[in-house]
Amino acid sequence: MRVFLVAGYCGGRGMKEREPRVFVVDDDRSVRTSLATLLESDGYTVDTFVSAADYLAKAPHLGPACLVLDVRLPGLDGLALQRQLAERGRTEQIVFITGHGDIPMGIQAMKRGAVDFLPKPFDDGALLNAVGQALACSAENWRKCDEVAQVRARIATLTPREFEVFRLVLAGLLNKQIAAELGAALRTVKTHRGRVMHKMGVDSVAELARLAQKAGVTPAPLGP
Amino acid sequence: MPIRASRLLCRLIELSAFVKGALLLVASGFAAVPPATERSVLVLYSERGDLPAIEAVQENIRQVLHASTSPRIELFSEYLDFSRFPPEQYEKILVRYLQERYAGRQVDLVVPVTGFALEFALAHRELFPGAPLVFCAIDQRELEKIRLPADATGITAHFDIGRTIELILQLQPNVPEIVCVSGTAGFDQRWAEETRKIMGRFHSQVRTRWITDKSLAETVDEVSRLPRDSAVFFVSMLRDGIGQSISSVDAVRDLARVSKAPVYGVSSQFLDAGAVGGAMFDFGANGRSTAELVLKTLRGQWVPYGAPETESRNSLLINWEALKKARLRESRVPADAEVRLRPPRLWQSHRTFFLVVTGAIFFEAALIGGLVAERFWRRRAEVSLRQSEERMSLAAEAANLGLWFWDVGGNQIWMTDKGRALFGFTPDEPLDYAALTARVHSPDRPARDAAITGALKTKGEYAVEYRVVLPDGRLRWIGARGHCTNNGDTNSTRLLGVSTDITAQKQAQEALRESEARFRTLADTAPVMIWMSGTDKLCTFFNKGWLDFTGRPLGQELGNGWAESVHREDLDGCLEVYVNSFEARHPFTMEYRLRRKDGEYRWVVDSGAPRFAPDGTFLGYIGSCIDITERKQAQDRFRLVVEASPTGIVLVDAQGRIVLVNARAEKLFGYGREELIGQPIELLVPERFREHSAHRACFHATPEAWALGAGRELFGRRKDATEFPVELGTSPIQSLEGTLILSAIVDITERKQAEAEARKHREELAHLSRVAIMGELAASLAHELNQPLTGIVNNASAGRRFIAKGRADLPKLDRLFEAVVEDGRRAGGIIRGIRAMVHKDNQVRGPVNLNDVIASVLRLVHSDALEHHCVLVTEPDPELPLVKGDQVQLQQVLLNLVVNAFEAMGETPLAERRVIIRSERESDGRVRVSVRDFGTGLSVENPERIFEHFFSTKHGGLGMGLAIVRSIISSHDGELAAVNAEGGGTCVYFLLPAIAEGAA
C-alpha cells in the first residue's frame, strides 16, 4: 500500500482552515510592504517574509496558498527556493517577480511550475490575476487532495479481502472469475463486491474505476 | 607875490575887460534895434498888493518880464482884494470894471495869482478871449478841485503843512501840544481846514489846539503865555477875529516877538519875521518861475500843466537866530534843511583884510624858504667835494697806490706820501728823476728806462715792473703805470701815473710757476692719460702717458690732432659730447675707441672737467683717460648674455624701480626698454598682485634667493593691459649700488595650456572610466531602481482599489502616499548617485568623510552584490578624520575596487563570498581604506601588474580602471597598494592625508 506523502497535507482538520493565503518574500522592504498592501486591497490575507530561509522555516499553510517570490534574494535565491519546495512536495503556487527580466531564468521558472513570471514594476492587474490564478489552482489542488483523501478514507474502510475484490473488479473480471482467482465462493465474492460498492458509495463499476483512479489504486495485474 | 603869477593875473584882467567891452558893444547894438514883438500881460492878484508875499511875487514877475526884450512885455496888474471885498458882493462890478477898462487893449496872457483869482479868471474867460492863463502860487490841492482848460498852465505851489509838522516833531520831540493859529478870511479858513485834516494824521503823536476867531492882540497875548516847550503853527491870518485886515507876516512878527515857544509856518516870508522855520514856500521864487513860464508861452513854447517844469519844491528853511532864541538844539536840525540868517563868521565879514594878510604871510614864507634852500644846496656841494677828495685819498691808500706826477721839462716829481713810502723816501725829501732812478735795482734799469723813453716819445702810456732797493737793503717789486699829459708844447711834457707794490704778486707768480712745473712732472709720471685744453677747445697739453699710448709726438696731438686717433665710428659722438659740455662748462664722461701705438683700437673712458681761475674765469678743460677695454668686453659679454637670454630678465633696485630689462622682457611685456627703466616694478604686475611690494620689503630684510611662484599663480601685465601667466624666479644681487633684485620671467602660457589639456584628458579619462563602470553596473542599478518603482506602483494601485471598494479612509491613504513619496525619493537618490558618477567635470575638492563614500558605494552596488552572491561587510572607523578631496572621484575609486573584488571571487564558493571594506586611522595621521576579497589573490611574481595600463584579467575589460584609480589617488596626494591578504584573497588599500583638526 502506498502511503501517500501528501496525505499529511491533504487531510486533517477540515475545511475551515482552508482559507486562501498569499505569502510575499522579498528582501526589499518597500516592495514587500507595498505588495502586501496591494494584495490586501484586493481582499487577500498576506504574510511577508524577508528571506527564503525564513519562509521555509515556517510551517506550511493548510489551504490554498500563493507565494509571491522575488528571484533575487540574499542567501537562497528564488529559483532555488522553488526547487526546494518542489522537493518537499509543497503545494503553494508561485508567482515570480523580478527586477531584471532574464529570459532563460523565466523559462526555467515556468518549466518548474511557476504560475507567472512578472518583471518589476509590474502592472497591478497582472499581479492580482496571477495571484488569483495561483490561488484558484491551489484551491483546486486542495479540493482534489480532499477528494482523494475522501476516497482513500473509504478505501481504508475496506477489509483486505474486500480490497482484493476491489482491485479485481477494477481489472474488469466477472464475479466468477474473481471467485476463481481468490478461491472463494461466488456467493462470497458477490457479497464482498456489494460491500465494496456500498462502502465506496458508488453504483457502477465505472464510477468505482474513476474513484480508484483518483485514489491511485491500480487494478490487479492479470495474467501470468 | 611871485612875479610870474602877477604877470599872469594882469593878462587875465586885460582879457576879461576886453571881452566885456565887446559884449557891451554888441548888446547896445542890439538895444538900438526896435523890438520885434510886444506883448501885454495882465496879472490878477486875489488879494491886495501890500502883502509881503504878494510884493515878493510882484517884484520877481516884474524883474523877469521887464528883462525880456524879445518879446517886450507890457505889464498890467489888478488887485482883486477879495479878503476885504468879498466876491459875492463885488464880482459883477469887477467884471464890468475890467471889461470897460481893457476894452481897447489886447491882453495876450493872464496871470492869476493865488486861488481866487484863478477861479475868477476861469469863470470869466470872455473878458480876455484867446488869452492863455499862466497861474501863480496856487496850491496843488486847490488845482485838483478846478477843471483846468487846455490853455491854462502854471507853477503849482505847495504849502507843505505836513512836512512842517514833521519838522516840529523833529526839533521838539517831546512837544506836548501844537497850537495852531489862523484867521477868519476865506483864504485863512481854507487853509485852516487843510491844516486840520493834516493834523489829524499826527493826533496820536501830539495834541492840537486852535486859536482862531480871536483878535490879533488876544492871539498874541495867548501865545505869549505858552510854555517854552510848546510849539506854534501859524497857518494864515488875513483877517483876524474882529474883522481887522492883517498881513500874515506882520502877525508872525508880533507872535515871534513875544512867544517863548517857537513859531513855525509854511511861507518863506515868515522866516525873516522871526519864525523858526518850516517847509516853506517861497513866493518870490514862485513868481520868478511863473514869469519865466510866461515868457516861454509868449515865445511859443507851451509847457502844459503837469509837466515837470511846473512843479515847485519847498525847502526846509531854518532861522538860526530864532532857533537859538527858542533854545532848540541845532543838532536836531535835519540834514537837508537850509539854515539861514546865521551871523557871518569873522573872516567872512572882513574878507579882503584876511586875504591880504594871508597873502603877505605866504609871500614872506616863500622867500625865507627859498633862501634856506639855497644855502642848503651850497653846503651839500661843498661836502660832496670834500668827500670825493677824501675818497680818492682813501682809495689810493687802500690800493697801495702811490700817485706821482713828473714834470719832465722842469724835472720835478711830485709824489703822494704813499708813493714816497713805496720807494723808501721820507715825505719831505726832495725828489727828482735821478733820485728815483738811483733806487731802481740795476738789472731792471734798462727796461724801465726803455719804457719811460718810449712813453715820452710816443706821448702815450707806459707800464713797467722793476725792483727798487730800499734803504734797508730790501728789494721791493714796483709796478708802475702812467701816461703823458701834454699841454701842447714839448717842453712841458708831464707824466702822471701810479705805482704800487707788487711784491706779493710777483711772489705768487713765482709760486704759480713752480706749481705748474710740479704739475707737469706729476702729469707725466701718472699712469693715466691726461690732457688739457684752452678756452678755444683746442688741446694744449698731453701728458707722457697719453703720448706713450698713442705713440705720436706732442706736436701732432695738440690742437685737434688727437682726434685722428679716435675710432671713426666714435668720433662724431665724442666731439659732440666734448663741444656741448664745453659750451655749458659742464664736466663730462665719454667712452670711445682710441688707437694704440700698436694699431689696436682700445676702449677708453675720458673724463673731463672745466678749469677756472681763482677769480672764476674759465680757463679751459682738463681730463684723463683710462683704458677700459677688458672691462668693456666683460660688460659686453654680460650684456649679450642678458639680451640673448630666452627668459625675460628684469633688474630692480631697492626702491622697486626697474634698472635693466632685456630684449625678451621687452617682448614679453610689450614695452620698449626706455619706457620701463625708472618705472616702478608694479607697472608689470596686475593690480591684484601688487602687494608684491610688501613682499619685496621683507625680501630685502632676508636676502636669500627663493623662487617666487612656488604654490602661487602669478601673472604679468602687458602694456596693453592683457595678462599672461608667468613663472618667476628671483634672486638678490648685492652690488655697490645696494641690493638689486634680479627676476627671471618665463611666459608659461603654453605650459599652462598643456597642463590644462593634460588635466582635461585625465578628467575625460576618469569620466569615461566612471561611465564604463556604471555601465557595468547598469543591470544592477536598474534592478536597484526597480524596487522603489515597484513600491510606488503597488501602493498607488492599492490605494485606487481601496477607493474603488469604498474601503478608503484618509489615514490609510495618507500612509500609502507617504510610502509613495519615500520610494520616489529613494529612486531619486539612486539616480542622483548615478548621475554624479557619470557627470563630467566635478572637480570639487572639499572635506570628505570616507565613511560616507563607503555608504554611498554600498547603495550603488547593493544589487550587484546580490547578483554575485557576495556579502558586503563594512568595518568603518567611527572617528575617521576628514580628507580633502573630490567626493565623486573617491567614490569612483571605491566602486572600482569593490566591483573588482566581486569579480575576483568568481570561482569562490558562494558561501565564502565576502568583501570586507574597512576604514581606519593610521598612526601617521593618514586615513586608510581597504577592500579585501576572498578570491584568488595576486600573482606572486608581479603584484604591481594590476595597476598597469591595459592590464586586465577580465574578459572584455579595458584594464584602465586601476590605472585611473591610481592617478586619482596620486592627485589626492595619496598612496595606493595591493597585497595578498592572510587567509586568501587580495587586499587593495589606499592612504590619504587627513585634514588637520580645525582646518576643515
Side-chain angles (χ1 to χ4, degrees):
Chain A
M1 188 153 333
R2 193 174 286 181
V3 176
F4 299 110
L5 282 163
V6 120
Y9 296 113
C10 295
R13 295 173 207 105
M15 289 297 286
K16 48 180 185 322
E17 278 107 357
R18 303 260 158 78
E19 39 185 67
R21 267 303 161 86
V22 181
F23 300 101
V24 173
V25 180
D26 194 320
D27 65 326
D28 189 281
R29 190 180 66 86
S30 92
V31 173
R32 215 167 43 239
T33 49
S34 64
L35 208 39
T37 312
L38 180 61
L39 291 163
E40 278 164 10
S41 80
D42 217 23
Y44 296 107
T45 317
V46 185
D47 283 336
T48 61
F49 297 88
V50 175
S51 69
D54 276 359
Y55 181 70
L56 280 175
K58 160 200 113 36
H61 177 64
L62 303 168
C66 170
L67 178 57
V68 181
L69 184 55
D70 192 337
V71 170
R72 225 180 246 193
L73 292 169
L76 199 60
D77 75 37
L79 292 175
L81 179 60
Q82 185 188 38
R83 236 191 351 266
Q84 286 220 8
L85 288 174
E87 278 169 22
R88 293 188 199 186
R90 296 267 288 254
T91 54
E92 49 274 87
Q93 297 295 304
I94 299 178
V95 174
F96 275 106
I97 54 176
T98 176
H100 67 293
D102 187 47
I103 295 177
M105 195 190 287
I107 294 173
Q108 205 184 27
M110 295 304 287
K111 271 195 185 162
R112 296 231 179 106
V115 172
D116 211 338
F117 192 87
L118 298 168
K120 290 185 202 167
F122 38 74
D123 177 43
D124 56 327
L127 178 77
L128 291 169
N129 275 346
V131 165
Q133 223 179 309
L135 282 174
C137 192
S138 185
E140 181 60 29
N141 284 349
W142 274 99
R143 197 184 53 71
K144 281 210 183 104
C145 210
D146 282 345
E147 252 185 33
V148 166
Q150 229 183 20
V151 170
R152 286 209 183 130
R154 289 190 199 157
I155 291 173
T157 59
L158 291 177
T159 63
R161 200 50 149 182
E162 282 166 358
F163 190 68
E164 272 179 348
V165 170
F166 175 43
R167 284 193 77 198
L168 287 164
V169 167
L170 280 178
L173 290 178
L174 297 165
N175 287 348
K176 62 176 172 237
Q177 281 165 317
I178 296 168
E181 188 68 37
L182 286 177
L186 189 62
R187 209 188 23 239
T188 320
V189 166
K190 273 193 188 164
T191 316
H192 282 316
R193 189 183 169 136
R195 263 202 237 142
V196 165
M197 297 297 257
H198 173 75
K199 277 187 184 173
M200 292 307 287
V202 297
D203 291 322
S204 67
V205 176
E207 276 184 52
L208 190 70
R210 246 197 333 275
L211 286 181
Q213 202 183 15
K214 274 195 193 152
V217 177
T218 51
L222 296 174
Chain B
M1 206 166 268
I3 297 174
R4 251 211 322 258
S6 60
R7 229 179 283 171
L8 194 61
L9 197 60
C10 290
R11 282 251 180 82
L12 274 171
I13 293 168
E14 281 168 31
L15 195 63
S16 61
F18 171 72
V19 167
K20 252 202 191 134
L23 275 174
L24 275 169
L25 210 58
V26 170
S28 58
F30 275 122
V33 175
T37 44
E38 192 176 296
R39 294 270 188 265
S40 300
V41 173
L42 169 63
V43 184
L44 284 174
Y45 294 92
S46 307
E47 301 299 333
R48 57 190 205 270
D50 59 327
L51 293 172
I54 301 297
E55 279 176 358
V57 169
Q58 193 175 328
E59 181 56 33
N60 276 282
I61 289 178
R62 192 194 65 78
Q63 274 182 9
V64 172
L65 292 184
H66 276 187
S68 165
T69 50
S70 166
R72 208 172 81 81
I73 309 288
E74 175 130 34
L75 184 62
F76 298 97
S77 305
E78 296 294 337
Y79 302 91
L80 302 176
D81 203 353
F82 278 135
S83 300
R84 295 189 286 195
F85 302 92
E88 313 81 73
Q89 282 179 290
Y90 291 91
E91 191 165 344
K92 273 210 197 75
I93 298 171
L94 275 172
V95 171
R96 216 172 75 205
Y97 158 74
L98 287 170
Q99 230 171 2
E100 292 193 11
R101 199 169 197 204
Y102 291 92
R105 300 245 181 214
Q106 165 73 10
V107 172
D108 298 305
L109 193 143
V110 176
V111 182
V113 176
T114 71
F116 285 119
L118 179 61
E119 285 167 24
F120 179 83
L122 286 173
H124 303 283
R125 291 308 293 280
E126 69 281 5
L127 284 172
F128 310 103
L133 300 173
V134 178
F135 53 78
C136 173
I138 301 183
D139 187 86
Q140 198 167 349
R141 281 163 280 206
E142 289 178 296
L143 286 168
E144 277 160 18
K145 297 183 198 141
I146 301 171
R147 198 165 58 80
L148 282 176
D151 60 348
T153 185
I155 306 292
T156 49
H158 219 64
F159 293 127
D160 208 338
I161 301 169
R163 202 139 154 254
T164 309
I165 304 297
E166 282 171 13
L167 178 68
I168 297 177
L169 293 171
Q170 272 176 308
L171 289 176
Q172 295 174 262
N174 302 318
V175 62
E177 69 170 1
I178 297 179
V179 180
C180 300
V181 174
S182 73
T184 54
F187 184 82
D188 304 336
Q189 282 176 345
R190 194 184 265 185
W191 285 105
E193 186 62 43
E194 205 55 44
T195 307
R196 267 184 227 276
K197 272 196 216 147
I198 288 171
M199 287 311 291
R201 281 212 317 258
F202 298 93
H203 79 274
S204 58
Q205 289 163 288
V206 70
R207 279 200 327 263
T208 325
R209 188 148 68 87
W210 282 89
I211 306 178
T212 68
D213 298 338
K214 296 233 167 90
S215 75
L216 181 59
E218 283 175 321
T219 311
V220 168
D221 182 53
E222 204 169 318
V223 165
S224 69
R225 279 203 297 269
L226 289 174
R228 179 173 296 282
D229 60 351
S230 185
V232 177
F233 180 67
F234 184 89
V235 182
S236 169
M237 196 186 273
L238 287 172
R239 199 175 67 210
D240 72 356
I242 51 171
Q244 283 180 27
S245 301
I246 311 284
S247 113
S248 293
V249 177
D250 293 333
V252 168
R253 196 172 290 124
D254 289 344
L255 287 170
R257 210 180 23 241
V258 300
S259 171
K260 292 193 282 287
V263 179
Y264 300 85
V266 293
S267 173
S268 59
Q269 261 61 32
F270 297 167
L271 206 68
D272 298 323
V276 167
M280 290 176 158
F281 174 71
D282 191 343
F283 278 94
N286 196 265
R288 179 175 295 273
S289 309
T290 309
E292 281 165 2
L293 194 57
V294 164
L295 285 177
K296 273 197 185 148
T297 310
L298 289 175
R299 286 179 189 142
Q301 266 180 288
W302 175 252
V303 180
Y305 167 66
E309 293 145 312
T310 61
E311 289 291 316
S312 70
R313 289 255 141 267
N314 290 5
S315 346
L316 274 181
L317 302 174
I318 306 283
N319 181 336
W320 192 86
E321 276 179 10
L323 189 77
K324 288 298 160 197
K325 179 164 164 261
R327 311 238 183 97
L328 293 173
R329 273 194 248 161
E330 196 174 343
S331 56
R332 291 234 181 88
V333 172
D336 55 345
E338 194 186 316
V339 179
R340 292 200 185 159
L341 303 174
R342 209 193 278 261
R345 302 259 154 77
L346 192 62
W347 70 268
Q348 273 177 328
S349 41
H350 302 281
R351 192 183 293 224
T352 326
F353 175 69
F354 270 107
L355 278 174
V356 169
V357 168
T358 316
I361 291 173
F362 270 121
F363 173 68
E364 288 286 350
L367 199 60
I368 293 168
L371 287 169
V372 166
E374 204 244 317
R375 195 175 135 82
F376 171 70
W377 282 113
R378 185 149 42 87
R379 270 288 177 81
R380 272 242 323 223
E382 280 176 11
V383 166
S384 175
L385 182 64
R386 198 172 41 245
Q387 271 185 348
S388 78
E389 274 185 12
E390 269 180 18
R391 233 179 283 145
M392 221 190 67
S393 315
L394 270 172
E397 271 290 324
N400 253 341
L401 295 172
L403 293 141
W404 52 261
F405 176 75
W406 179 27
D407 181 355
V408 180
N411 198 16
Q412 284 237 324
I413 295 189
W414 169 88
M415 258 198 176
T416 57
D417 291 346
K418 184 69 194 167
R420 285 159 179 270
L422 269 181
F423 281 84
F425 290 113
T426 56
D428 37 292
E429 272 182 62
L431 274 186
D432 64 0
Y433 185 68
L436 273 178
T437 316
R439 284 283 164 96
V440 176
H441 190 45
S442 351
D444 301 330
R445 276 194 206 149
R448 181 167 169 276
D449 289 338
I452 293 175
T453 349
L456 285 173
K457 223 191 297 198
T458 60
K459 309 269 190 280
E461 303 198 348
Y462 99 102
V464 69
E465 293 174 355
Y466 54 86
R467 279 162 289 186
V468 293
V469 184
L470 295 173
D472 59 13
R474 279 185 300 146
L475 279 178
R476 178 179 279 165
W477 272 99
I478 305 278
R481 303 181 74 90
H483 68 274
C484 278
T485 66
N486 218 339
N487 273 358
D489 53 80
T490 42
N491 265 352
S492 52
T493 317
R494 294 165 231 233
L495 272 175
L496 70 93
V498 295
S499 300
T500 178
D501 181 350
I502 54 165
T503 315
Q505 253 168 290
K506 275 291 186 200
Q507 282 170 349
Q509 273 177 4
E510 193 56 51
L512 184 65
R513 230 189 320 267
E514 204 194 298
S515 95
E516 278 214 18
R518 252 200 304 241
F519 161 73
R520 221 149 275 244
T521 320
L522 183 67
D524 279 338
T525 51
V528 291
M529 296 150 38
I530 299 178
W531 56 268
M532 283 208 302
S533 64
T535 52
D536 55 0
K537 302 195 194 78
L538 298 173
C539 283
T540 54
F541 168 76
F542 290 95
N543 76 337
K544 185 156 168 302
W546 179 288
L547 299 171
D548 284 346
F549 180 87
T550 56
R552 285 149 59 105
L554 181 60
Q556 263 192 312
E557 299 285 76
L558 284 176
N560 280 328
W562 59 273
E564 292 162 17
S565 306
V566 176
H567 194 282
R568 201 180 47 247
E569 288 169 5
D570 303 329
L571 185 60
D572 289 330
C574 169
L575 285 175
E576 199 188 313
V577 170
Y578 180 54
V579 168
N580 288 346
S581 309
F582 207 99
E583 304 290 330
R585 310 270 197 263
H586 280 160
F588 64 85
T589 306
M590 56 186 178
E591 295 176 3
Y592 53 86
R593 278 162 286 186
L594 197 63
R595 191 176 53 234
R596 206 165 47 176
K597 61 181 172 212
D598 63 3
E600 187 187 328
Y601 278 96
R602 305 287 288 175
W603 277 99
V604 295
V605 63
D606 190 337
S607 314
R611 289 162 37 235
F612 297 97
D615 62 355
T617 29
F618 176 63
L619 298 173
Y621 266 71
I622 182 168
S624 61
C625 300
I626 306 175
D627 185 341
I628 52 159
T629 315
E630 263 87 46
R631 193 183 84 185
K632 204 136 177 77
Q633 277 171 351
Q635 265 185 348
D636 261 357
R637 214 175 298 140
F638 167 71
R639 200 172 44 77
L640 283 169
V641 162
V642 166
E643 276 306 305
S645 165
T647 54
I649 293 182
V650 174
L651 199 61
V652 172
D653 70 9
Q655 280 76 42
R657 302 212 112 77
I658 297 172
V659 170
L660 178 109
V661 293
N662 74 340
R664 178 101 187 110
E666 285 181 310
K667 215 157 81 125
L668 275 179
F669 288 99
Y671 286 99
R673 71 185 65 198
E674 60 288 344
E675 295 172 285
L676 287 176
I677 292 184
Q679 297 297 324
I681 186 70
E682 277 80 19
L683 185 65
L684 303 174
V685 178
E687 288 86 10
R688 60 187 185 286
F689 295 114
R690 282 206 184 146
E691 86 275 17
H692 175 56
S693 47
H695 274 154
R696 202 185 333 109
C698 8
F699 189 81
H700 277 274
T702 58
E704 305 153 286
W706 49 276
L708 279 175
R712 273 184 66 158
E713 299 268 312
L714 289 179
F715 285 83
R717 188 173 172 282
R718 289 200 198 91
K719 182 175 185 180
D720 58 8
T722 56
E723 295 180 358
F724 62 98
V726 294
E727 188 177 279
L728 199 59
T730 58
S731 70
I733 302 175
Q734 289 294 346
S735 79
L736 294 165
E737 316 173 274
T739 310
L740 301 171
I741 301 174
L742 179 74
S743 305
I745 301 160
V746 178
D747 181 348
I748 52 170
T749 315
E750 278 160 21
R751 193 209 308 174
K752 278 225 172 285
Q753 277 172 352
E755 276 176 21
E757 290 257 5
R759 194 167 43 239
K760 220 170 67 160
H761 285 148
R762 265 205 308 281
E763 278 168 26
E764 292 257 8
L765 209 53
H767 172 244
L768 286 173
S769 145
R770 282 204 298 279
V771 170
I773 204 172
M774 291 310 272
E776 285 172 23
L777 295 174
S780 313
L781 291 170
H783 185 270
E784 203 57 37
L785 270 176
N786 262 331
Q787 310 287 56
L789 281 176
T790 308
I792 289 169
V793 170
N794 288 346
N795 280 321
S797 308
R800 290 184 71 221
R801 266 166 215 282
F802 280 133
I803 291 169
K805 293 205 172 127
R807 283 161 50 200
D809 59 88
L810 289 176
K812 193 190 291 193
L813 286 180
D814 187 61
R815 275 197 298 280
L816 285 177
F817 284 135
E818 195 184 337
V820 164
V821 167
E822 190 61 48
D823 281 330
R825 286 220 185 97
R826 188 173 135 203
I830 293 166
I831 288 174
R832 260 199 302 283
I834 298 169
R835 263 234 220 99
M837 283 303 284
V838 302
H839 191 68
K840 224 178 186 185
D841 0 78
N842 250 347
Q843 276 286 307
V844 176
R845 292 250 167 151
V848 175
N849 185 342
L850 284 168
N851 288 337
D852 292 338
V853 172
I854 294 171
S856 67
V857 164
L858 284 180
R859 276 197 289 277
L860 285 172
V861 301
H862 175 70
S863 296
D864 205 46
L866 288 178
E867 185 171 328
H868 284 99
H869 304 275
C870 295
V871 174
L872 272 174
V873 178
T874 53
E875 294 172 7
D877 179 348
E879 278 155 39
L880 198 67
L882 302 171
V883 301
K884 183 151 184 265
D886 181 336
Q887 179 130 358
V888 169
Q889 284 186 341
L890 291 172
Q891 249 180 307
Q892 177 180 5
V893 162
L894 205 52
L895 199 54
N896 235 302
L897 297 182
V898 167
V899 168
N900 283 353
F902 288 162
E903 281 152 8
M905 293 192 288
E907 312 291 312
T908 316
L910 297 184
E912 289 169 40
R913 291 190 188 177
R914 266 181 308 151
V915 173
I916 303 178
I917 307 175
R918 180 185 295 159
S919 71
E920 58 201 339
R921 189 195 190 138
E922 292 281 282
S923 53
D924 62 0
R926 289 195 292 180
V927 170
R928 172 209 255 259
V929 172
S930 57
V931 176
R932 188 239 156 96
D933 65 58
F934 289 86
T936 46
L938 301 165
S939 80
V940 182
E941 315 90 55
N942 229 337
E944 290 291 298
R945 269 209 88 191
I946 56 167
F947 295 115
E948 273 173 36
H949 285 220
F950 308 117
F951 175 81
S952 176
T953 54
K954 275 200 285 205
H955 286 299
L958 279 173
M960 288 298 287
L962 279 176
I964 288 173
V965 161
R966 173 165 261 180
S967 90
I968 289 174
I969 293 296
S970 77
S971 83
H972 281 73
D973 299 320
E975 214 183 289
L976 180 71
V979 295
N980 279 321
E982 280 178 29
T986 319
C987 178
V988 182
Y989 65 89
F990 59 87
L991 292 140
L992 290 176
I995 297 180
E997 307 290 305

